Amino acid sequence: MIDLKPIDIDGHIFLSVSVQLPKTNLLVVTNDKGYIMCGALDIGLLNEKLKDRKVIAGRAVGVKTIEQLLNAPLESVTYEAEELGIHKGTIGREALLKML
């Protein structure tokens, strides 16, 4: 099942995406500039092989719901996210607000 919902964070609308897969969930919260995602996100791939795309993204591990993703510290971030002040340990919702 795929669940798409707009969510409000401090008056700004983001899109949450939850995909139920066998034995796991794929979780993403995004806007037109960047996104945060569950542990399925490969930051190394984005930073190395896809560096020219300048993706703004962060990864949180051990989360099972969108709410947990929003409240979790990011385990890793892309170089482009770091340029916006989003660093390892930044809480998901705080990272999203820096992507405005």
Side-chain angles (χ1 to χ4, degrees), residues 37-39 41 43 58-61 72-77 87-90:
M37 190 170 164
C38 65
L41 180 62
I43 294 291
R59 172 184 179 205
V61 294
L74 298 178
E75 177 267 342
S76 54
V77 300
H87 304 286
K88 180 179 176 178
T90 301

Side-chain angles (χ1 to χ4, degrees), residues 18-62:
S18 178
V19 181
Q20 293 178 356
L21 300 169
K23 301 183 184 180
T24 192
N25 291 326
L26 179 66
L27 305 169
V28 181
V29 179
T30 187
N31 69 359
D32 61 346
K33 192 169 185 179
Y35 57 93
I36 60 171
M37 190 170 164
C38 65
L41 180 62
D42 187 343
I43 294 291
L45 175 74
L46 295 176
N47 280 340
E48 296 165 21
K49 302 215 186 268
L50 303 177
K51 185 177 182 177
D52 60 317
R53 296 186 187 185
K54 299 183 178 187
V55 175
I56 299 169
R59 172 184 179 205
V61 294

